[in-house]
């Protein structure tokens, strides 16, 4: 069917589509683009000649909308910022396989979701669950830790507290950077849950501070877990302000229960042991003033 359409006819059909669309071959070469596609990227059709889909000035990103990646088109001269969801229709022809890719504008929806996540984070102080990560927050952690401290006082059980401070490369200060920050926190949460025993407690204190409580564990035995987390967390990466993928980093403070300790002194001693996040000025900790 494609072979029966001359270029002018095919371009006319594309331009009548209500969405931005492009036709690509198996090598992702851009064969056709419609007017809405040109408007989206602030270019003319001739500017896409000899381009592949990978040459387009857009990035894929996981967003709060779910696991399906969206396409992010950053603002530039002649175009605004766009968040897009793609739909792909495959076409088989005698000359090969092709795809028509349609792009749906979802920028307003992404904006609403982002604002909701920021609001949830502010409301977390009034709840027992951190609304960004779903982990116990400071208010919820306190009674849990008091119970563990009480057991240590009564029976002399070991109890180790780890405070982990997360930092990430400098990201943009716009909504895209904020979304990266929130997504990074979620990734850290899932990673930590995978490393912990069923009896351990994982919670989020403030900003990028996470608390790990290890009952029946002496301080020396926590070293292996810390090293495992320190190494594994670098697999979580974000796009820095220069557009390069960089790993998240973490530093740790540890304290073990001593006679006379309460929850506040345990946490304070662990926080006092936190070293600088990294010596690199490009890394910004999440830490907030206390």
């Amino acid at each position: 069917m494609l072979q029966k359409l001359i270029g002018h006819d095919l371009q006319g059909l594309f331009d009548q589509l209500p969405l931005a669309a492009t036709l690509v071959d198996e090598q992702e070469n851009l064969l056709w683009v419609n007017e809405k596609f040109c408007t989206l990227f602030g270019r003319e059709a001739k500017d896409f000649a000899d381009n592949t889909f990978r040459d387009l000035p857009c990035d894929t990103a996981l967003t709060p909308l779910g696991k399906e990646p969206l396409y992010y088109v950053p603002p530039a001269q002649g175009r605004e910022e766009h968040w897009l969801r793609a739909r792909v229709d495959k076409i088989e022809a005698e000359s090969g396989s092709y795809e028509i890719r349609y792009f749906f504008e979802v920028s307003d929806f992404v904006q609403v979701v982002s604002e909701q996540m920021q609001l949830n984070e502010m409301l977390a102080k009034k709840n027992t669950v951190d609304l960004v990560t779903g982990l116990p927050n400071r208010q919820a952690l306190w009674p849990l830790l008091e119970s563990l401290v009480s057991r240590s006082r009564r029976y002399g059980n070991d109890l180790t507290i780890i405070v982990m401070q997360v930092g990430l490369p400098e990201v943009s200060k716009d909504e895209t950077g904020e979304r990266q920050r929130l997504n990074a926190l979620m990734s850290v949460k899932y990673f930590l849950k995978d490393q912990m025993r069923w009896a351990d407690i994982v919670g989020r204190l403030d900003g990028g501070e996470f608390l790990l409580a290890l009952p029946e564990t002496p301080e020396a035995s926590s070293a292996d877990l810390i090293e495992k987390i320190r190494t594994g967390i670098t697999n979580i990466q974000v796009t820095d302000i220069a557009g390069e993928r960089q790993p998240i980093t973490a530093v740790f403070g540890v304290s073990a229960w001593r006679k006379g300790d309460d929850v506040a002194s345990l946490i304070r001693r662990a926080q006092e042991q936190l070293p600088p996040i990294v010596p690199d000025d490009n890394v910004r900790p999440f830490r907030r003033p206390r």
Side-chain angles (χ1 to χ4, degrees):
M1 178 178 178
L2 286 173
Q3 293 174 333
K4 296 180 181 179
L5 293 172
I6 63 173
H8 179 75
D9 293 334
L10 188 58
Q11 187 68 56
L13 289 173
F14 262 58
D15 287 339
Q16 293 180 44
L17 292 174
L19 303 170
T22 181
L23 177 69
V24 301
D25 61 16
E26 293 177 279
Q27 288 73 44
E28 293 204 319
N29 294 307
L30 300 177
L31 304 181
W32 295 96
V33 295
N34 67 354
E35 289 185 4
K36 290 183 175 60
F37 189 90
C38 295
T39 301
L40 181 66
F41 288 97
R43 297 181 179 181
E44 298 181 8
K46 61 182 178 62
D47 297 329
F48 295 102
D50 301 322
N51 277 198
T52 69
F53 191 81
R54 294 182 294 274
D55 296 326
L56 294 175
C58 64
D59 299 314
T60 57
L62 291 176
T63 74
L65 299 178
K67 295 183 178 180
E68 180 181 349
L70 302 182
Y71 291 95
Y72 173 65
V73 182
Q77 185 175 2
R79 70 165 186 263
E80 299 178 349
E81 175 188 65
H82 296 279
W83 283 93
L84 309 169
R85 188 185 294 279
R87 171 186 167 182
V88 177
D89 285 342
K90 296 185 180 296
I91 300 174
E92 297 295 334
E94 293 181 4
S95 56
S97 298
Y98 303 88
E99 289 182 353
I100 299 181
R101 299 181 182 179
Y102 310 92
F103 296 91
F104 303 79
E105 182 79 47
V106 292
S107 298
D108 290 343
F109 190 35
V110 171
Q111 170 73 16
V112 170
V113 172
S114 177
E115 291 176 354
Q116 182 64 46
M117 291 184 70
Q118 293 178 48
L119 177 61
N120 287 345
E121 189 173 12
M122 289 188 294
L123 292 175
K125 293 182 179 179
K126 299 182 180 180
N127 295 277
T128 58
V129 175
D130 175 51
L131 297 182
V132 174
T133 63
L135 293 172
N137 65 7
R138 184 182 290 271
Q139 286 81 354
L141 285 170
W142 217 261
L144 296 174
L145 295 176
E146 284 181 336
S147 176
L148 295 178
V149 168
S150 178
R151 286 176 55 84
S152 294
R153 285 176 182 155
R154 181 174 300 180
Y155 303 111
N157 295 346
D158 288 316
L159 172 62
T160 296
I161 298 295
I162 301 172
V163 174
M164 182 184 79
Q165 173 66 54
V166 174
L168 79 166
E170 185 177 6
V171 297
S172 59
K173 295 179 173 59
D174 56 13
E175 294 171 5
T176 302
E178 178 65 11
R179 280 190 288 271
Q180 286 201 80
R181 189 182 77 88
L182 297 179
N183 287 339
L185 290 174
M186 285 298 297
S187 297
V188 170
K189 169 257 186 94
Y190 289 124
F191 172 72
L192 291 178
K193 295 285 282 186
D194 286 343
Q195 310 306 314
M196 308 300 286
R197 304 170 302 181
W198 68 269
D200 297 334
I201 296 173
V202 184
R204 181 186 175 204
L205 295 175
D206 294 299
E209 271 190 0
F210 291 81
L211 183 141
L212 316 178
L214 313 178
E216 313 293 337
T217 304
E219 182 174 350
S221 299
S222 66
D224 289 342
L225 175 63
I226 289 175
E227 188 57 34
K228 185 177 180 181
I229 294 174
R230 190 197 315 275
T231 302
I233 205 169
T234 58
N235 292 321
I236 303 173
Q237 298 186 342
V238 297
T239 302
D240 66 13
I241 198 168
E244 297 182 357
R245 299 290 289 174
Q246 300 289 349
I248 286 177
T249 58
V251 293
F252 302 84
V254 185
S255 65
W257 180 81
R258 303 172 184 169
K259 187 175 181 179
D261 268 338
D262 57 15
V263 173
S265 62
L266 263 176
I267 295 178
R268 182 172 59 252
R269 197 161 62 246
Q271 289 175 326
E272 288 172 350
Q273 292 185 17
L274 286 171
I277 189 72
V278 289
D280 189 340
D281 289 339
N282 289 327
V283 175
R284 300 291 183 266
F286 285 125
R287 190 177 304 167
R288 296 174 177 171
R290 297 188 184 89

